[in-house]
Amino acid sequence: MAELLFRDDPYLKSCEATILAVNGNAVEVDRTVFYPLGGGQAGDTGTLGHWRVVDTRKGATGDSILHLLEPGAAPEVGMPVTLHIDWERRHRLMRYHTALHLLGSVVKAPVTGGRIGEDKAHLDFDIEMERLVKDEIEAQVNALTAAGHATVAKWITDAELDARPDLVRTMSVAPPRGEGRVRLLEIPGVDLQACGGTHVKNTAEIGRLAVARIRSEGKRNKRVTLTFAQ
Ligand SMILES: [Zn+2]
């Protein structure tokens, strides 16, 4: 049971915590700034005490977070530790993640998958290839980053979400359920989606984007990959 500090403030780079559980190389603490792999977004890396955190994963319950340490680490239950995320990497993930919300609002088609990495991000759409025009998508997402739209996180109940299926663009990147409430990410006038990931405060922070590739990955998967423009 950890306090998930990244939910209310994705800009937190470090925190003090106490080790609650150690299972092999997986460490749980009482509060964390580390985002676990989920919703298409890569898990955070960084340090916990003296040790490298090589990846972060979800544990058995919604608020259990496993910090996966480098080989040779010797954490102990009860130990106070300082946690630091690799901020430059996380900030790139936040910029790419927010960029995918813009991409999803520009391409009017069901989303069948998505992935956010450090160097690129993509969404898969159930759409005909000829409707995906590189220059048009690029111009539209860059208009949205240049416009400097604020992003707002809010919470609704599971029941409210069930009544609004339009808020879940794709089940493959759906936010975690079962806590009784689900987080929404709103970019007013642009996008409103259930999303548990980390986002930048303003779309201007994303910077210029390029459509690196549009490729068919199957009948219902047409993949649009974004990168930061040089
Ligand atoms: Zn999101």
Side-chain angles (χ1 to χ4, degrees), residues 48-100:
L48 182 149
H50 301 296
W51 306 295
R52 285 291 304 165
V53 177
V54 296
D55 200 356
T56 308
R57 298 295 174 96
K58 284 177 185 154
T61 59
D63 50 2
S64 129
I65 307 277
L66 307 178
H67 306 75
L68 306 182
L69 302 189
E70 61 183 325
E76 286 173 27
V77 171
M79 203 180 255
V81 283
T82 304
L83 281 66
H84 292 282
I85 55 171
D86 291 330
W87 170 247
E88 282 185 27
R89 175 178 183 275
R90 157 70 91 70
H91 190 236
R92 291 173 69 87
L93 293 171
M94 284 164 55
R95 289 164 64 206
Y96 272 128
H97 187 137
T98 312
L100 288 191

Side-chain angles (χ1 to χ4, degrees), residues 97 101 185 195 197 199:
H97 187 137
H101 283 265
L185 192 276
C195 187
H199 310 89

